[in-house]
Amino acid sequence: MDQSPPRSTSVTVADVARRAGVSKATAARVLGGYGTVSERVREAVTAAARVLDYRPNELARSMTTGRSGTIGVVVGDIENPFFSLAVRGITDVARQADFTVILINSGEDVVAERAAIRTLLAKRVDGLIVSPAKENDVEHLHEAVRSGVPLALLDRGSDTLDVDTVIADDRYAAENITRRLIALGHRHIAYLTACDTPDHRFHTAKDIGTGSVRRRIEGFLSVCREAGLTGMEDWVRVGAFTPEHTHRIVTEMLQSARRPTAIIASDSIIGLEVFKIHRQLGLSIPDDLSLVSFHDADWTSVTTPPVTVVRQPVYDLGATAAKLLVERLNGEGQTARVVVLKTEIVERASTRERY
């Protein structure tokens, strides 16, 4: 006779114990992953749970083990392919370690990020992975750390947070691509970013609160100074945080008398918008304009011409952040670790010599 309870009721530990022919305490030890039982009993309980489609009560388990089995992740823009791929790396590692990911999108807004952290802490997540909207506004992350919740930073570090951090070699990447453009003869090179400033104008790299972008701009300007190019701060354009804003900024640049001969886009969403606009204006890439984009998005290799990119180890950024956090949750590692992953330039047909 089938000893399964009616499907309309929740399957309990007692139900599993009854079917396996063991005590409730024994079944709880097997299902909870604690204590010692024989292999025969473990197999019997596991088989019974599988047949009955037993689902553990996560709240009860968290009260017993002190763990919720969840990791909270807060990123700036989930529509950005960069963050989508990074989250894939996080979830793959988390799943292998039996953690579920709770993802919240901050929209690159610090207020929304604070609310997200409060929500995740209320849900008693075991750890946090955050890509801070502004690295100089992280008191809410300090509060999370003080509460005892392990934290790992993704793509963006913080000088004030002594936590595990995974970033790319952004400054080196920007220096490298800027040198290549200068070697091709370009002198009017624009750097375009979604980051904004209070007056919507760029003055110094310190204006940029997002560390990864700040490091790139610092690298860009440093190489320009080395090459004797002056006034290059005027070629850094901020505020391209929507397609509409990007369209306005790029159209204005490309229709001006002092038009850039090359544009470095700080992400693939901006890069795609630049690609669209150059065609609308009747310009040619690379004859009239050279284009380089950070992030090797799928579209960059199938356009005509295909676009030169700075390929970032995006999946590995997420996977490494999750690995460090899981190790921290398992009691491994004492001091905070900073991991810097290498980028590479993939040269395609969107850049050419400027005579």
Side-chain angles (χ1 to χ4, degrees), residues 189-253:
I189 306 168
Y191 185 96
L192 183 56
T193 177
C195 291
D196 207 357
T197 61
D199 63 356
H200 310 297
R201 294 179 61 85
F202 176 81
H203 301 284
T204 69
K206 293 180 180 179
D207 297 333
I208 304 299
T210 302
S212 56
V213 177
R214 184 176 64 251
R215 290 190 294 272
R216 293 176 200 166
I217 292 175
E218 287 172 343
F220 167 72
L221 293 175
S222 174
V223 169
C224 289
R225 284 191 294 270
E226 288 175 5
L229 304 184
T230 59
M232 293 305 291
E233 289 80 4
D234 295 339
W235 291 99
V236 178
R237 301 299 175 90
V238 299
F241 41 78
T242 68
E244 293 74 23
H245 284 85
T246 304
H247 189 281
R248 177 181 56 77
I249 294 168
V250 175
T251 300
E252 179 184 291
M253 281 197 302

Side-chain angles (χ1 to χ4, degrees), residues 49-60:
R50 185 166 55 250
V51 168
L52 297 176
D53 194 24
Y54 169 77
R55 307 290 176 87
N57 184 319
E58 297 296 345
L59 177 60

Side-chain angles (χ1 to χ4, degrees), residues 118-171:
R118 286 196 299 269
T119 297
L120 292 170
L121 293 179
K123 290 184 177 295
R124 304 180 67 84
V125 295
D126 297 322
L128 291 165
I129 298 176
V130 181
S131 187
K134 292 188 180 299
E135 294 182 10
N136 56 359
D137 193 347
V138 291
E139 180 55 31
H140 53 294
L141 299 182
H142 282 282
E143 291 176 4
V145 173
R146 287 194 291 267
S147 74
V149 176
L151 167 68
L153 298 183
L154 170 68
D155 184 49
R156 304 164 183 177
S158 173
D159 293 336
T160 67
L161 281 163
D162 189 28
V163 298
D164 294 329
T165 302
V166 185
I167 59 175
D169 59 354
D170 293 293
R171 176 164 181 145

